[in-house]
Amino acid sequence: MMFHVLLLLSLCFSDYGVLRVASLGINYGQVGSNLPPPDKVLDLLSSLKITKVKIYDTNPQILTTFANSDVELIVTVENQMLSVVMDPQQALQWVTTHVKPYFPATKITEIAVGNEIFTDADTSLIGYLVPAMVSIHGALVQLGLDKYIQVSTPNSLAILQESFPPSAGSFKSEVSAIMSQYLQFLASTGSPFWINAYPYFAYKDAPNNISLDYVLFNKNSGMVDPYTKLHYDNMLYAQVDAVVYAMFRLGYSGIEVKVSETGWPSKGDPDEFGATPANAAVYNRNLLRRQMRNEGTPLRPNTRLEVYLFALFNEDMKPGPTSERNYGLFEPDGTIAYNVGLSALSTTTSTSTSTSTSTSSSSSFFLTSSADKATKMGYQSLVFWMFVYLLAFQVFPRQH
């Protein structure tokens, strides 16, 4: 153990020892009353070596602050703007105003046109989606930016009529016509199909019927798809492959599926089963372990699955149940919201189980430190990457 720690320390302070998970990003939401300014957020992201970030708007302060950094940024056209930017001239104006002034200093890699449009309460948005995407892409072409910036949209898994077993995956009939147009756009532009996939929701709705170990990536017997004979040891991969099969059914086989959001809440209302710090820690820790392997799903084992974790911060102004405000890895002041393993090398003993119990940690040093934020973030960086390195070499035992 001491050898690994000393080796990691030498790597952390070496110009050559940059440990990153290339297929892992994070969502940076801003629906909070007390979030740190973008420069402090950039410091935190840098300390954690996270270089892929998605935001839900085109906040000019964030775009300016993130300039000349290593962060690759996905920006968003808000849902209420879709009816406007479906007009090609308005789309050109939007890109000229919200994207062009910041690129390439700010590494904008994709524009998300809306969020979960196919399942939004305002059903009129569905008709705007594909025209808006076409117009935004056309604006990028006109400005010579289409080679650098893709156009897509994140989708809720509620677009699926069937998702189990994965080979039965199919889209709801009411969105099939527009879905075909959307898939044609993705295929013609080489853009990915993004999904917001939360195994937590499936477990919350049926805790007596779904294995918690299966949804948390813990060791379990898993399930075998009776038609393909593919074995799944976690629900997230099964959800991704269900989307792939749904696209197959509409005649599209070459579109990459990526996960725009996934995560687990650390707190919930009494009826939100499983929303605990312990389960959130296990889910995110195991997800990180999988991402370090750069693995794909059983259906596409050779295609590294790209995943964006939800979310960077707890956001106290989000509406809905308590869980909605408690998906963050961090509190707004930069301390961790729960123990995802960051204090595992301290003198305390931390226990995370796959049951709905809380994680015990008597004195995580940067949770209780009174040091200034810069020092705190430095501690976070060191301990976080100690943890990642030790995971890579399986020093920590797997959760069972």
Side-chain angles (χ1 to χ4, degrees):
M1 171 70 81
M2 183 56 66
F3 169 78
H4 287 97
V5 171
L6 290 175
L7 178 58
L8 178 61
L9 286 169
S10 68
L11 287 172
C12 287
F13 294 103
S14 163
D15 291 337
Y16 308 100
V18 180
L19 295 170
R20 288 180 181 154
V21 183
S23 56
L24 181 69
I26 199 160
N27 287 272
Y28 168 19
Q30 304 155 58
V31 189
S33 62
N34 51 356
L35 297 177
D39 61 324
K40 298 300 183 184
V41 174
L42 183 58
D43 288 343
L44 177 58
L45 293 168
S46 299
S47 74
L48 298 176
K49 299 294 188 292
I50 292 176
T51 59
K52 293 178 182 287
V53 175
K54 178 163 73 73
I55 60 175
Y56 294 85
D57 54 17
T58 52
N59 185 320
Q61 190 179 3
I62 294 176
L63 296 181
T64 300
T65 301
F66 282 33
N68 303 309
S69 71
D70 291 332
V71 174
E72 297 178 1
L73 204 60
I74 298 176
V75 299
T76 302
V77 179
E78 296 96 324
N79 288 9
Q80 64 268 24
M81 286 297 297
L82 265 62
S83 62
V84 176
V85 300
M86 63 186 294
D87 175 78
Q89 288 304 313
Q90 292 293 335
L92 179 61
Q93 179 64 36
W94 188 92
V95 174
T96 301
T97 302
H98 295 275
V99 174
K100 188 174 184 294
Y102 306 99
F103 184 88
T106 302
K107 297 177 182 177
I108 300 171
T109 58
E110 188 163 326
I111 298 172
V113 179
N115 185 56
E116 298 190 345
I117 296 299
F118 285 105
T119 52
D120 194 272
D122 183 357
T123 56
S124 67
L125 294 177
I126 296 178
Y128 303 146
L129 178 60
V130 175
M133 295 177 71
V134 170
S135 293
I136 291 291
H137 180 260
L140 292 173
V141 171
Q142 191 170 337
L143 295 170
L145 301 178
D146 59 302
K147 298 179 181 65
Y148 313 101
I149 302 174
Q150 293 183 316
V151 176
S152 189
T153 190
N155 299 283
S156 163
L157 274 181
I159 58 174
L160 295 180
Q161 181 67 45
E162 299 289 343
S163 61
F164 183 85
S167 61
S170 61
F171 294 115
K172 290 181 175 177
S173 57
E174 56 264 37
V175 302
S176 289
I178 303 298
M179 184 62 68
S180 293
Q181 298 174 30
Y182 167 57
L183 294 176
Q184 175 58 42
F185 172 83
L186 297 183
S188 65
T189 59
S191 300
F193 190 111
W194 287 100
I195 60 168
N196 295 339
Y198 289 89
Y200 162 72
F201 291 142
Y203 177 76
K204 176 183 72 71
D205 292 340
N208 296 323
N209 299 326
I210 295 176
S211 165
L212 184 55
D213 284 328
Y214 180 64
V215 296
L216 291 179
F217 295 92
N218 279 338
K219 184 177 181 181
N220 67 97
S221 59
M223 59 83 63
V224 174
D225 189 306
Y227 302 102
T228 64
K229 307 305 179 185
L230 293 175
H231 178 261
Y232 292 85
D233 66 358
N234 70 86
M235 181 176 284
L236 180 65
Y237 289 5
Q239 291 175 333
V240 170
D241 281 354
V243 173
V244 176
Y245 280 108
M247 291 192 295
F248 284 170
R249 284 185 163 77
L250 293 182
Y252 295 89
S253 59
I255 298 172
E256 184 177 1
V257 177
K258 298 182 179 183
V259 178
S260 41
E261 291 181 14
T262 193
W264 198 283
S266 59
K267 186 185 298 184
D269 294 322
D271 62 342
E272 294 187 288
F273 299 103
T276 68
N279 289 337
V282 172
Y283 183 83
N284 289 316
R285 181 165 59 240
N286 285 339
L287 176 63
L288 173 60
R289 184 182 284 125
R290 293 301 186 104
Q291 290 303 106
M292 289 182 66
R293 299 176 186 169
N294 290 324
E295 64 186 24
T297 66
L299 183 60
R300 291 178 168 176
N302 298 321
T303 301
R304 182 183 65 195
L305 180 63
E306 187 164 318
V307 173
Y308 278 65
L309 187 66
F310 189 86
L312 185 58
F313 295 110
N314 284 333
E315 301 168 71
D316 65 346
M317 295 175 62
K318 293 193 71 175
T322 298
S323 61
E324 284 296 310
R325 294 174 288 281
N326 289 280
Y327 275 90
L329 292 183
F330 291 89
E331 300 291 355
D333 67 356
T335 57
I336 59 173
Y338 55 87
N339 180 11
V340 70
L342 298 177
S343 63
L345 294 181
S346 71
T347 58
T348 63
T349 299
S350 136
T351 304
S352 295
T353 69
S354 61
T355 58
S356 299
T357 58
S358 62
T359 300
S360 62
S361 180
S362 58
S363 58
S364 175
F365 66 84
F366 58 80
L367 277 174
T368 57
S369 171
S370 60
D372 61 82
K373 288 185 178 180
T375 303
K376 181 188 299 178
M377 289 179 178
Y379 284 153
Q380 288 170 340
S381 175
L382 177 60
V383 179
F384 180 85
W385 289 108
M386 279 184 175
F387 173 72
V388 170
Y389 178 81
L390 293 169
L391 273 182
F393 287 89
Q394 297 183 330
V395 172
F396 291 114
R398 294 181 180 276
Q399 296 291 328
H400 294 287

